[in-house]
Amino acid sequence: MKRALLGLLLVVSVSCGDMVRQGTGSSYLSIERLEAASGAKPDEFDSVLASDLVTVVDDRPTIFEDVGRVRFALRMKDPGSVESPTAPSPANAITINRYHVRYFRADGHNRPGIDVPHPFDGAFTITVSETAEATFTLVRIQAKREAPLSELVASPAGVLSTIAEVTFYGYDQAGREVIVKGNIGIDFANWGDPE
């Protein structure tokens, strides 16, 4: 009985370790930074996004998509020793080619199109050999025109606080799948426009 339990514990711990190491490749990705900018101010990135649902530009209501920016770092599963560190080679590079955004709330109300915006998939391609940075759509224009966000436009005091879970998918140079996730907070509202 004790041996069976010990064997099961070993299998579970090995399985968890494999998940942390992202598959069977010699390298993996970490997210060094995940931040976002309002489409109305696309150069002002922050660690939490204040997503403006409608921005008045030249006296016209305008809807912008919001952008995310991610910085990836390539890590080696076997980093070597202090005296002889293992350096990544071109064969260890990882290419990211798509992503998935899912919104959820801390209170558990997570029905897409009712409590939170619908999830979506997007694509971009970047190869990480040491570090690399990419921008992507974090909040689509369509989401701002659909429930529940469209309902906040008429309610200036209304704010919807969510967390966006962004999952990045790719592969190493041997074709093995790599997945890495990051989270960022988003506060949706019809924020006041600067004069």
Side-chain angles (χ1 to χ4, degrees):
M1 178 72 172
K2 284 184 181 180
R3 281 188 178 191
L5 233 75
L6 187 58
L8 179 61
L9 184 60
L10 181 61
V11 168
V12 169
S13 66
V14 168
S15 298
C16 290
D18 286 344
M19 288 175 63
V20 170
R21 290 191 300 268
Q22 299 181 15
T24 59
S26 58
S27 58
Y28 66 96
L29 283 182
S30 67
I31 294 176
E32 288 190 330
R33 186 175 59 241
L34 181 60
E35 50 194 0
S38 167
K41 298 178 181 178
D43 297 326
E44 296 180 17
F45 286 88
D46 202 349
S47 58
V48 175
L49 173 62
S51 178
D52 194 5
L53 301 176
V54 177
T55 305
V56 177
V57 178
D58 297 328
D59 296 324
R60 294 184 59 189
T62 307
I63 300 174
F64 293 101
E65 70 181 14
D66 299 319
V67 294
R69 181 168 67 186
V70 61
R71 182 172 176 83
F72 297 107
L74 183 76
R75 306 282 188 228
M76 299 299 293
K77 289 183 183 172
D78 180 6
S81 65
V82 174
E83 298 82 26
S84 179
T86 304
S89 73
N92 300 118
I94 294 174
T95 299
I96 297 295
N97 60 1
R98 64 187 176 93
Y99 66 96
H100 178 79
V101 178
R102 177 182 74 92
Y103 306 96
F104 63 96
R105 292 172 26 178
D107 64 6
H109 296 277
N110 297 320
R111 295 171 298 175
I114 298 170
D115 302 313
V116 294
H118 290 280
F120 72 95
D121 293 289
F124 67 85
T125 301
I126 189 166
T127 298
V128 185
S129 54
E130 289 184 17
T131 61
E133 195 169 273
T135 57
F136 60 96
T137 300
L138 182 62
V139 180
R140 300 180 307 160
I141 290 175
Q142 299 94 309
K144 293 182 178 185
R145 292 183 172 156
E146 300 171 343
L149 301 183
S150 61
E151 297 163 2
L152 292 175
V153 173
S155 173
V159 177
L160 174 61
S161 295
T162 68
I163 297 170
E165 177 188 75
V166 187
T167 306
F168 298 95
Y169 299 92
Y171 53 88
D172 68 11
Q173 301 313 297
R176 293 176 288 238
E177 184 179 50
V178 175
I179 298 171
V180 63
K181 292 183 181 186
N183 292 338
I184 187 165
I186 303 177
D187 294 323
F188 294 102
N190 191 11
W191 300 105
D193 296 306
E195 304 212 1

